[in-house]
Amino acid sequence: MARRIDVTGAGGVRLAAWEFGDPAKNDPAKNDPAGHGSEAMIPAQSTGERGARTGPVPGRTTGVLLLHGLMGRASHWASTARWLSERHRAVALDQRGHGRSDKPPQAAFTREAYVEDAEAALEQLGLAPTVLVGHAMGALTAWQLAAKRPDLISGVIICDMRASALGAASQREWADWFRSWPVPFATLADVRKWFGEDDPWVERPNPARGDFYAEVMQESPDGWRPVFEPEQMLKSRETWVYDAHWEELTQVRCPTLVVRGLDGELGRAEAQEMVRVLPLGEYAEVPGAGHLVHYDQPEGWRTAIEPFLDGVLAR
């Protein structure tokens, strides 16, 4: 089960955080008469009978905040968050412009805004000190926050995110790719087929990729469209693709695990260089995984990160 807790991010943007695990006995989400417990609106700062649990959970000593990548959403972490919740307080955040969080047309989609959002979530949810787990853009947010606020972070897991600059050509390719989407899709089956088979970026059939993108679609009067605005995604991306991010890595003082899929976007040489510049860097690979490491190979992902989490707990 996951329950929603609203937090306030940078500039007043409302963000949806999702806490996984069994709710407290008096948690209204558990007895939602509409049967929509996972959608319950529970502001993080509320009090009284609808008050959210914002402190440590008995029996779960470490907080874990999970940050999805560009175009992702908190639900992509469901498999990871469920097993984490057995020992930790696991919360996945829908970042600004994504999932159920607000998507104001004039909101900032800068690196600073994303980092401040994650910082605000940690403080409002009472998660610190926490382990940050980030995929792709979410991983960049994780290590930038760890560099900025070491007092809040006990460990970082970086999943398939490069530290090198990707450049203008990469941004143009993404803009062209968004324009190639045959939206609206008539059915979710069409979504799965296009992203899992027909997308020119797919080298071979990948059902997990189709499922991944089906999770970020919503039904509209004319068919299925993404829950995010592609222009906001491009704005978010352009704030980091032109720059390298090695300097921030050198400032991350907590234990940090760099994980790559063998067929992902982060090459082995770059990943190992990231480990080298991190003061307390470690390295892991997940066989058979592409860029969506945690999503398409959940068991391999767990095998890769569990020893690291156990080590952070032992410190």
Side-chain angles (χ1 to χ4, degrees):
M1 170 176 279
R3 69 186 187 110
R4 174 173 173 164
I5 306 172
D6 281 354
V7 299
T8 302
V13 173
R14 183 187 56 84
L15 306 171
W18 302 88
E19 181 167 1
F20 288 76
D22 293 332
K25 291 182 179 180
N26 64 348
D27 190 333
K30 185 175 181 180
N31 300 308
D32 180 12
H36 299 135
S38 63
E39 299 297 324
M41 295 278 288
I42 309 176
Q45 302 302 320
S46 64
T47 58
E49 65 179 13
R50 289 185 60 82
R53 182 180 64 227
T54 57
V57 180
R60 299 177 199 160
T61 58
T62 303
V64 180
L65 182 67
L66 300 131
L67 301 173
H68 61 73
L70 190 73
M71 302 181 295
R73 65 186 308 170
S75 64
H76 286 144
W77 290 113
S79 175
T80 296
R82 287 191 185 105
W83 67 260
L84 282 173
S85 69
E86 297 172 5
R87 298 178 59 194
H88 312 280
R89 186 177 175 213
V91 179
L93 182 68
D94 274 335
Q95 296 173 81
R96 61 177 52 217
H98 296 75
R100 295 299 182 93
S101 290
D102 281 351
K103 305 165 182 65
Q106 303 306 317
F109 288 92
T110 62
R111 281 284 79 223
E112 291 77 13
Y114 278 101
V115 172
E116 288 174 16
D117 286 349
E119 181 180 5
L122 289 179
E123 292 179 332
Q124 291 172 39
L125 294 169
L127 275 177
T130 194
V131 175
L132 292 175
V133 182
H135 174 243
M137 182 190 71
L140 176 59
T141 299
W143 87 61
Q144 288 181 329
L145 177 55
K148 175 186 177 184
R149 291 292 307 273
D151 57 307
L152 298 179
I153 315 301
S154 58
V156 177
I157 297 178
I158 296 168
C159 179
D160 214 64
M161 179 60 188
R162 300 183 61 184
S164 298
L166 302 182
S170 173
Q171 188 72 352
R172 289 193 298 270
E173 289 172 359
W174 272 69
D176 291 342
W177 180 57
F178 277 128
R179 286 192 288 268
S180 76
W181 290 17
V183 291
F185 294 92
T187 67
L188 281 178
D190 292 326
V191 174
R192 292 187 176 95
K193 184 176 186 302
W194 196 82
F195 286 101
E197 300 178 23
D198 301 337
D199 183 350
W201 285 14
V202 176
E203 295 181 358
R204 56 183 178 273
N206 186 342
R209 189 175 188 269
D211 291 340
F212 182 94
Y213 282 97
E215 283 198 48
V216 296
M217 296 291 162
Q218 62 185 353
E219 192 170 16
S220 59
D222 60 351
W224 293 83
R225 295 178 177 274
V227 298
F228 52 78
E229 295 294 333
E231 285 302 314
Q232 291 183 347
M233 300 299 98
L234 288 172
K235 286 181 181 178
S236 299
R237 195 173 187 274
E238 71 183 5
T239 64
W240 52 265
V241 296
Y242 302 116
D243 301 313
H245 304 282
W246 296 97
E247 180 62 28
E248 294 106 316
L249 284 175
T250 68
Q251 299 169 13
V252 178
R253 299 296 172 182
C254 61
T256 303
L257 178 67
V258 178
V259 184
R260 62 178 291 269
L262 290 186
D263 297 318
E265 297 179 5
L266 176 61
R268 180 180 284 118
E270 182 171 354
Q272 292 177 342
E273 180 63 11
M274 290 168 67
V275 172
R276 189 188 69 79
V277 304
L278 282 159
L280 295 173
E282 301 178 34
Y283 176 73
E285 293 182 348
V286 179
H291 178 58
L292 308 176
V293 182
H294 61 295
Y295 194 84
D296 62 12
Q297 296 292 337
E299 291 303 318
W301 163 249
R302 177 172 181 170
T303 298
I305 71 172
E306 203 161 26
F308 173 81
L309 288 170
D310 289 345
V312 171
L313 279 173
R315 290 174 64 86

